[in-house]
Amino acid sequence: MRAVSRICADLVAIRSENPPGRTDEVIEYIRAFLTEIGISSSVSGNTAGECNLVTTGTGQPKKLLFCGHVDVVPALDAGWTHPPFSGIIQDGFVHGRGSTDMKGGCASILAACQARVDRSEEIPATLAFVCDEETGGENGIRRLLSEGALTPGDCVIAEPTPSRHPCIGQKGLCRLEMVFSGTPAHGSLYPAVGTSAIMESMTLLNHVKALNKKEYPVDPSLNAIIAQSSAVLGREFGIDGVGDILKRLTFNPGVIKGGEKSNVVAQHCTLELELRVPWGCSIDKLITSIQAHAVHGKILSQETHNPSITDPASPLVEITCDAVKRVQEGEVFPIVQWAASDARHLRAAGFKVIEYGPGEIPTLHAVNERTPIDSLEKASLVYQDIMAKYAETG
């Protein structure tokens, strides 16, 4: 029986940065592991090696789905204590890119299945391991959903979460690619003469910055969840103002390019803008407002996803929280957070979704990413408990 730390280390050592997004080797490791413990699966993908795996079986579709992504964000060697794809096990941690986000969660799923098989217990869930989560899921979960490979039901995504607080909701997402046009003139005459495309983009960003000050009304029950979530996430990340992050529109002008020469008023500017949308904020109205304040700009492309949440009173949430209580010490309750994941696509397809998984969250996407072995082991126990409950209820 392979230890969950060893499984995690093996997965980390198989490179699957996105971009470029190849996951064929790591998916093959998972396929072989599942085959070894008697679980059949089907692998699909494209010529670029962006592969997904879904377990297969006979009879009625299972009501429970366990899901994890196997692509990871890139990592440079500089600054790491251990090479980022070493998968070194040391001092109670598995070290390396993806150990927290989220090959650790995938390892805990596999270890949970291995433990149940060793006890001759059924696996009352479909498993899905997907590519492309880090760049939007087009070739990963979205492809599986469009192909009808997954039947809507209850879903546990093994994304890293605080150890006593499964995540039941995420803010919405609005990504815009915009272009601004100006009227060129000699730079020495601006702003008296000419219209700067760069300054037009700045005018819009000042409007977006002002929108960050606005709070949007939500019902009291959601407001209570947001308040609890703010306290948990503030402690987890060591940052103040988490309540504002969850309640308000947050924004990042990630890429801005423009201008032709320092002494010419800019005729052209492009902007890639990402906004995280709180509950209560209409994305349609938000885009209308942005367009109205971009007098010399237009939106070339957009990707939007509304804020989403799973009912905290649903059986999935109650079963998961009960399982966490049996493994972890302390008060257990669900939270919402700001980051996007495959949960939004699954909820849009009719799934009830909860996220719970191992990791050291402050190291997520960072230099020296790592995950505690204790976290991996406890997550595996939680998953086994959830499976046991679903096996009882059919």
Side-chain angles (χ1 to χ4, degrees):
M1 181 173 177
R2 265 176 278 187
V4 64
S5 58
R6 181 70 264 160
I7 300 170
C8 180
D10 289 347
L11 294 174
V12 169
I14 304 172
R15 299 183 68 148
S16 55
E17 302 104 300
N18 190 6
R22 291 194 73 99
T23 57
D24 46 354
E25 291 185 6
V26 68
I27 286 293
E28 174 55 26
Y29 175 96
I30 292 172
R31 186 205 63 78
F33 181 98
L34 292 172
T35 298
E36 186 178 317
I37 63 173
I39 299 174
S40 60
S41 62
S42 173
V43 174
S44 60
N46 58 26
T47 55
E50 295 171 300
C51 293
N52 305 304
L53 179 150
V54 179
T55 56
T56 57
T58 59
Q60 293 295 318
K62 294 174 180 176
K63 297 177 181 178
L64 178 64
L65 171 69
F66 271 88
C67 186
H69 70 84
V70 295
D71 61 321
V72 301
V73 297
L76 302 176
D77 288 342
W80 287 73
T81 303
H82 305 290
F85 299 99
S86 61
I88 286 176
I89 301 173
Q90 188 177 86
D91 300 326
F93 294 89
V94 179
H95 298 263
R97 174 60 82 229
S99 53
T100 282
D101 186 19
M102 60 165 286
K103 289 179 175 178
C106 293
S108 293
I109 292 173
L110 294 173
C113 292
Q114 178 180 240
R116 285 189 63 84
V117 169
D118 285 351
R119 296 193 296 265
S120 299
E121 296 170 347
E122 67 166 309
I123 308 298
T126 300
L127 312 181
F129 296 94
V130 301
C131 67
D132 203 30
E133 190 272 349
E134 296 291 357
T135 54
E138 179 181 357
N139 294 299
I141 198 68
R142 290 163 65 185
R143 172 167 290 182
L144 292 180
L145 291 170
S146 67
E147 293 173 349
L150 301 172
T151 302
D154 291 348
C155 175
V156 177
I157 300 180
E159 288 277 11
T161 61
S163 61
R164 293 183 286 110
H165 305 292
C167 179
I168 60 171
Q170 289 82 22
K171 290 177 71 176
L173 177 66
C174 178
R175 288 192 179 115
L176 302 177
E177 181 184 359
M178 303 186 68
V179 62
F180 295 82
S181 300
T183 303
H186 197 283
S188 64
L189 300 175
Y190 184 80
V193 179
T195 301
S196 168
I198 293 174
M199 293 305 295
E200 290 299 306
S201 72
M202 293 304 298
T203 298
L204 171 66
L205 290 177
N206 285 332
H207 169 65
V208 173
K209 186 177 181 180
L211 291 177
N212 171 254
K213 304 300 182 184
K214 180 179 180 181
E215 287 195 15
Y216 297 86
V218 296
D219 66 70
S221 61
L222 178 54
N223 203 47
I225 292 173
I226 290 173
Q228 285 187 309
S229 303
S230 299
V232 170
L233 295 171
R235 290 194 301 270
E236 193 77 27
F237 285 91
I239 57 177
D240 296 324
V242 173
D244 289 343
I245 294 173
L246 289 174
K247 291 180 179 180
R248 298 181 182 182
L249 183 77
T250 49
F251 68 98
N252 179 45
V255 180
I256 185 166
K257 299 177 182 178
E260 296 73 46
K261 200 171 183 287
S262 63
N263 64 349
V264 177
V265 177
Q267 187 175 5
H268 182 81
C269 179
T270 60
L271 169 67
E272 295 179 26
L273 176 64
E274 180 177 286
L275 307 107
R276 298 297 171 120
V277 184
W279 291 269
C281 176
S282 164
I283 291 180
D284 288 342
K285 290 181 180 178
L286 173 63
I287 292 176
T288 298
S289 174
I290 286 173
Q291 189 65 78
H293 285 80
V295 178
H296 294 277
K298 63 179 180 180
I299 297 171
L300 297 179
S301 66
Q302 64 186 57
E303 177 188 354
T304 63
H305 303 277
N306 287 315
S308 65
I309 190 167
T310 297
D311 184 352
S314 68
L316 170 66
V317 176
E318 293 181 350
I319 288 170
T320 302
C321 287
D322 286 345
V324 175
K325 288 175 186 176
R326 282 186 280 272
V327 174
Q328 303 284 1
E329 295 181 359
E331 186 181 13
V332 174
F333 54 83
I335 61 170
V336 296
Q337 50 113 326
W338 53 79
S341 74
D342 282 339
R344 65 189 189 271
H345 305 304
L346 287 157
R347 288 195 185 102
F351 284 84
K352 292 181 176 64
V353 183
I354 195 167
E355 294 180 343
Y356 183 80
E360 188 173 80
I361 293 177
T363 71
L364 186 152
H365 289 196
V367 169
N368 288 329
E369 182 177 353
R370 65 183 189 175
T371 190
I373 293 173
D374 176 69
S375 177
L376 295 168
E377 293 170 345
K378 287 183 175 179
S380 177
L381 292 174
V382 170
Y383 299 157
Q384 291 176 56
D385 200 311
I386 294 170
M387 289 184 192
K389 191 64 177 178
Y390 275 82
E392 289 174 9
T393 60

